[in-house]
Amino acid sequence: MKKILLLLITVAGFNFAKAQDTVKTTSDAPLVIFGSVDTYYKDDFSGHANIPTSFAWDNNSVSIGMIDLGLKKTVGKASFVGELSFGPRGQYQSIPNGDGSTANAGNSYHVQNLYVSYNLTDKFNLTAGYMATFIGYEVISPTGNFNYSTSYLFTSGPFQNAGFKATYAFSDKVSLMAGIFNDNWNVYTSTHDVSTFGAQLMLAPAKGWTAYLNVATGPTSGTIFDLTTAYQITSAFKLGLNGATFTPAHGGGGYDGVALYPQLAVSKAVTLGLRGEYFEAKATTTTPKDHITSLTATANIKAGPLTFIPEIRFDNGKNQIFTDSNGAPTKSASQFVLAAVYAF
Amino acid sequence: MRERLYIYMMKRILLIGIGLLFAGMARAQKNQLLLDEHNRYVYYQVVDMPGISTDSLHKNSAYFVKSIYPGNKSIKISDSAILIKDKFLTYTSFVKHESGEVTYTLNIEFRDSKYRYWLTDFSFTPYERNRYGVFVPSSQNHIPLETAASKVGKKEMASYIEQAGAFCKQLGGKLKEYMAENHTAQKKPDQQPAKIVTDKW
């Protein structure tokens, strides 16, 4: 009896709290909590892991990606974002450990995003800290990608840039970011100095269409030019494109690449998509140039906050860079992945 | 005897609990938007303001939109009506983050000793998380709230309708406060809080 009473009072109290909950009309939003959890199973048709892009590494194994936990708060013109990740995808597969010293080498800080920002005006924002990179189409968080496996462009490009940036919005259709970042990509601490210059021009030529022209260049990090664009052409069809060219500061090499992302929503729960990619590793003084093509067919099946992602992928190299089921060199590799991503 | 008293008290508490439960549910349902004759969601209210002239209602409602919507360029004020377009954010319920934004049109009309207002043209844009951990409008175009059910799940849809209803109710409450006050009269300077004198005792 007492338990029933307690339950009833709790439910009634919850109902009242819910009814009293009003929509916030001021600019001071509540403390925002967000994140995701992901897990996957992969079967490489060769019987062993073959395709060397980021994440979904384990073959014939039910494996974990990461739990991602983020906090964001805005009071007046000041905001912060802190995002921590735990698990292979969110630790050694995407972020550095410690500060590089022997004593701290294995100590992961788990940080994906950690920055503060201030709106000087409605159009002018200053941000400083450790931030997801502004370069590229795909991201570390599985909730930000349509495909579960990643492109060669993503794997080869920066993941994060620590630095200071200023963004000015000329209008809803044009904005410009310029900033100065640590000398290397993907580091919490600079090796020598803060010498990578980065800039991003955002254009929105039509409703549903955004394009980002990006550059990051420095005497240590090298130079990367990147175009990332997505266009929601109809309510069901979206087309994305990523193209980049990278030249290291020393030693030659680098890469060029382009990836196309057509996606079609066939119902409110199911979207089908392809990723076609061409990726070329530039020649160095010791190795000739090489290229690879990749085709990935992915479905996103939504059940509320949970998304199931079945995916099949075929990679084909110019040279024999993969191995077949007998361990012999071969030009092609293929895999099936089934992933589940819960976003909150 | 004590056992009887215990059972009696328990029954009373149980009844109060059930009452609270239903009262809460009824209160939540009151926030629901309704469909008008054109099958469009609308929040419509007529409010009597005995003793307040049309001119005062006009001035009060103009003061309301200027105070609540500073910098909004869509405000249209005529002799008998006010129209404004704006938006509000919706939030997820499990953990709090922005799930989307709803644009709307607010109409206010007034005549002797009463005014009416209605919010309509609700249009929803889902938000998605960007790489910096910030929720921003997705690339999808605005979806009229009436057809949003074809794009989002049942539970999300019910939540958006409820939040829109709660927003309208809150805004209506604020409008009523402004309409009841005389904003045309010269405001008295803010009264300073009384000071405690400690040197005389």
Side-chain angles (χ1 to χ4, degrees):
Chain A
M1 188 72 170
K2 274 182 184 172
K3 281 181 183 171
I4 296 170
L5 274 174
L6 272 172
L7 188 69
L8 260 172
I9 290 166
T10 309
V11 172
F14 176 72
N15 246 336
F16 258 94
K18 203 173 167 184
Q20 284 166 357
D21 207 7
T22 51
V23 178
K24 196 93 176 164
T25 53
T26 64
S27 59
D28 294 349
L31 177 69
V32 168
I33 303 167
F34 62 88
S36 66
V37 169
D38 65 297
T39 182
Y40 69 94
Y41 170 80
K42 178 171 98 165
D43 182 26
D44 191 295
F45 300 149
S46 69
H48 55 267
N50 228 342
I51 295 173
T53 53
S54 303
F55 318 135
W57 286 355
D58 303 340
N59 187 56
N60 197 15
S61 164
V62 175
S63 290
I64 56 174
M66 66 179 184
I67 176 167
D68 190 39
L69 296 167
L71 294 175
K72 179 188 168 234
K73 177 71 180 169
T74 300
V75 175
K77 295 178 174 181
S79 303
F80 83 85
V81 170
E83 184 186 354
L84 303 174
S85 55
F86 301 83
R89 185 180 182 121
Q91 288 182 246
Y92 61 89
Q93 291 177 7
S94 67
I95 56 169
N97 280 341
D99 58 7
S101 65
T102 309
N104 210 10
N107 184 12
S108 176
Y109 293 165
H110 304 281
V111 173
Q112 292 286 347
N113 273 300
L114 194 164
Y115 64 84
V116 292
S117 73
Y118 189 80
N119 292 326
L120 281 178
T121 70
D122 286 348
K123 296 185 170 189
F124 192 38
N125 172 270
L126 302 176
T127 302
Y130 185 73
M131 297 157 279
T133 186
F134 54 95
I135 305 273
Y137 191 92
E138 298 181 21
V139 296
I140 293 169
S141 168
T143 61
N145 295 334
F146 184 83
N147 313 96
Y148 191 74
S149 71
T150 59
S151 66
Y152 289 94
L153 280 169
F154 170 78
T155 297
S156 308
F159 287 178
Q160 277 109 353
N161 300 103
F164 168 77
K165 64 181 182 180
T167 307
Y168 187 81
F170 296 95
S171 70
D172 290 346
K173 295 180 175 178
V174 184
S175 72
L176 180 68
M177 179 280 285
I180 191 80
F181 300 90
N182 282 350
D183 49 3
N184 282 302
W185 304 341
N186 314 332
V187 289
Y188 295 125
T189 312
S190 70
T191 311
H192 300 293
D193 52 21
V194 185
S195 57
T196 299
F197 169 76
Q200 177 179 72
L201 176 66
M202 188 285 287
L203 300 167
K207 205 167 186 182
W209 185 9
T210 49
Y212 299 90
L213 295 157
N214 305 309
V215 61
T217 183
T220 309
S221 60
T223 300
I224 183 166
F225 292 101
D226 175 271
L227 166 66
T228 294
T229 181
Y231 189 14
Q232 187 76 42
I233 297 169
T234 69
S235 62
F237 184 65
K238 180 182 176 182
L239 186 63
L241 173 81
N242 184 207
T245 178
F246 170 64
T247 308
H250 312 286
Y255 62 82
D256 300 315
V258 63
L260 202 61
Y261 301 81
Q263 287 153 20
L264 180 69
V266 292
S267 74
K268 72 178 174 185
V270 180
T271 303
L272 306 175
L274 287 173
R275 175 182 57 210
E277 183 183 17
Y278 176 84
F279 183 84
E280 184 174 287
K282 293 178 187 172
T284 66
T285 49
T286 53
T287 54
K289 70 177 182 181
D290 196 0
H291 73 253
I292 193 164
T293 53
S294 174
L295 183 67
T296 307
T298 304
N300 277 197
I301 304 159
K302 287 194 179 294
L306 185 62
T307 305
F308 292 100
I309 310 177
E311 176 177 292
I312 190 159
R313 173 172 178 157
F314 305 95
D315 284 24
N316 192 47
K318 179 187 171 195
N319 297 309
Q320 294 182 327
I321 55 172
F322 303 112
T323 50
D324 65 15
S325 54
N326 299 316
T330 178
K331 285 184 177 181
S332 59
S334 46
Q335 67 179 32
F336 169 77
V337 172
L338 176 61
V341 179
Y342 188 102
F344 56 89
Chain B
M1 185 67 186
R2 280 185 65 184
E3 196 175 325
R4 274 189 173 180
L5 185 67
Y6 175 77
I7 291 168
Y8 173 76
M9 289 301 289
M10 282 296 159
K11 276 184 180 171
R12 291 289 295 264
I13 295 169
L14 188 65
L15 278 170
I16 291 167
I18 292 168
L20 283 171
L21 180 66
F22 281 98
M25 284 166 76
R27 192 171 166 173
Q29 282 169 359
K30 268 187 185 174
N31 289 334
Q32 294 290 319
L33 299 182
L34 296 173
L35 290 167
D36 68 5
E37 62 271 35
H38 308 294
N39 274 330
R40 292 191 317 169
Y41 280 113
V42 66
Y43 185 89
Y44 179 85
Q45 299 282 307
V46 180
V47 183
D48 287 319
M49 302 295 287
I52 301 183
S53 67
T54 307
D55 187 47
S56 293
L57 290 173
H58 182 269
K59 282 173 181 162
N60 288 349
S61 51
Y63 185 72
F64 165 79
V65 292
K66 280 174 188 163
S67 306
I68 300 293
Y69 302 98
N72 188 312
K73 290 174 183 167
S74 73
I75 301 171
K76 286 179 187 165
I77 301 177
S78 67
D79 289 345
S80 60
I82 287 177
L83 184 144
I84 186 163
K85 289 175 190 291
D86 204 50
K87 65 184 178 187
F88 62 87
L89 296 176
T90 60
Y91 291 88
T92 54
S93 53
F94 173 51
V95 287
K96 285 278 179 194
H97 66 69
E98 304 91 330
S99 59
E101 66 179 38
V102 178
T103 56
Y104 64 90
T105 304
L106 167 65
N107 298 272
I108 308 169
E109 287 181 0
F110 22 81
R111 60 171 64 162
D112 261 340
S113 300
K114 67 178 173 183
Y115 69 93
R116 67 173 183 168
Y117 68 93
W118 65 101
L119 292 96
T120 190
D121 299 334
F122 295 102
S123 199
F124 179 72
T125 302
Y127 272 26
E128 61 188 13
R129 195 189 127 193
N130 71 11
R131 61 186 66 200
Y132 310 113
V134 177
F135 287 83
V136 293
S138 75
S139 58
Q140 287 183 17
N141 291 333
H142 290 278
I143 313 162
L145 206 54
E146 293 78 12
T147 58
S150 64
K151 303 277 182 191
V152 300
K154 231 179 194 175
K155 221 174 172 183
E156 287 102 324
M157 186 66 201
S159 171
Y160 301 146
I161 297 287
E162 190 182 327
Q163 289 186 59
F167 174 83
C168 295
K169 195 178 173 191
Q170 187 192 31
L171 193 71
K174 207 154 248 182
L175 175 62
K176 196 172 181 182
E177 282 173 27
Y178 275 77
M179 287 301 212
E181 286 178 22
N182 184 6
H183 296 286
T184 53
Q186 203 173 0
K187 279 201 162 182
K188 288 177 187 170
D190 288 340
Q191 277 192 338
Q192 295 295 321
K195 289 181 180 170
I196 294 171
V197 180
T198 57
D199 56 350
K200 288 176 190 169
W201 59 288

